């Protein structure tokens, strides 16, 4: 392989990687100026569910707070059988507190929850 072909391959590889990275960045909401929040702060949401939500355009507390229960259930159902065990009923309520930076209120609410469910 010549040096010219090798460099050409490297450039093409970098371009493809950059395009893929940009598409992921746009998909998660980072491109529109909205910071991506750590949705695992919400009781009942772990890293896999946070990734599933982000892949469906829900990457911030404010977006999650505005989500309807039916939308969240549809996303979980589409994610497969593992995700169907999750109960998103309190996620918007928790996310509203987190979006407002009411961490004390969020922790108080979470004290009443187990796995995101009211006990």
């Amino acid at each position: 392989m010549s040096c010219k072909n090798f460099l050409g391959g490297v450039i093409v590889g970098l371009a493809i990687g950059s395009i893929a990275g940009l598409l992921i960045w746009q998909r998660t909401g980072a491109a529109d100026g909205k910071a991506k929040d750590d949705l695992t702060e919400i009781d009942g949401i772990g890293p896999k569910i946070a990734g599933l939500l982000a892949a469906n355009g829900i990457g911030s507390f404010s977006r999650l707070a505005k989500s309807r229960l039916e939308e969240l259930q549809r996303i979980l159902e589409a994610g497969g059988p593992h995700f169907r065990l999750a109960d998103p009923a309190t996620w918007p309520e928790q996310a509203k507190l987190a979006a407002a930076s009411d961490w004390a209120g969020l922790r108080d609410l979470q004290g009443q929850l187990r796995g995101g469910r009211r006990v």
Side-chain angles (χ1 to χ4, degrees), residues 3 15 19-21 37 41 46-47 58-59 65 82 89-90 98 110 116-117:
C3 183
I19 291 169
D37 292 319
E41 291 288 330
I58 303 174
H82 176 73
T90 65
Q110 289 176 338
R117 294 180 174 100

Side-chain angles (χ1 to χ4, degrees), residues 44-65:
I45 297 181
K48 290 181 181 179
I49 291 177
L52 180 65
L53 292 172
N56 284 276
I58 303 174
S60 68
F61 295 131
S62 61
R63 174 63 176 90
L64 180 58

Side-chain angles (χ1 to χ4, degrees), residues 42 60-62 64-65 90-100 106:
I42 304 302
S60 68
F61 295 131
S62 61
L64 180 58
T90 65
W91 297 354
E93 181 182 3
Q94 292 181 68
K96 183 177 180 181
L97 293 168
L106 177 61

